[in-house]
Amino acid sequence: MAEQASDYHHGEQDIHQQVSTFHLFVGMTKWGSLYLAALLLLLTIWFCTDAGFIAGLITAVVVSGLGFLVLRDKGDSAH
């Protein structure tokens, strides 16, 4: 049986756009989750406790700051 000719060669395709899309998706998911967590915390403390808006705002800012420190890019990894 004759083999089919193909232009595809395993490992030779340029994947720059796929890698860029993956990093964009991961970044948007990471920072969007932090934003939503801080917003949810602010609204929960503001409306569901007697602490009020200022306590909710302070808590949301602290969580956002800690989240930023934990989630920021640490530079290029070795792999």
Side-chain angles (χ1 to χ4, degrees):
M1 183 176 250
E3 294 183 31
Q4 293 182 340
S6 176
D7 292 336
Y8 175 75
H9 299 283
H10 185 72
E12 294 181 2
Q13 184 179 8
D14 181 29
I15 60 167
H16 178 70
Q17 290 180 344
Q18 288 91 344
V19 170
S20 297
T21 302
F22 173 76
H23 288 300
L24 178 65
F25 175 77
V26 169
M28 289 178 66
T29 302
K30 179 171 60 172
W31 297 114
S33 297
L34 178 61
Y35 169 75
L36 288 176
L39 180 65
L40 184 63
L41 188 60
L42 168 71
L43 293 174
T44 301
I45 292 177
W46 185 6
F47 290 116
C48 296
T49 66
D50 292 332
F53 173 74
I54 299 298
L57 182 65
I58 291 170
T59 307
V61 168
V62 168
V63 167
S64 296
L66 290 174
F68 175 76
L69 291 175
V70 171
L71 295 177
R72 67 178 180 207
D73 291 335
K74 275 92 173 163
D76 292 336
S77 59
H79 50 108

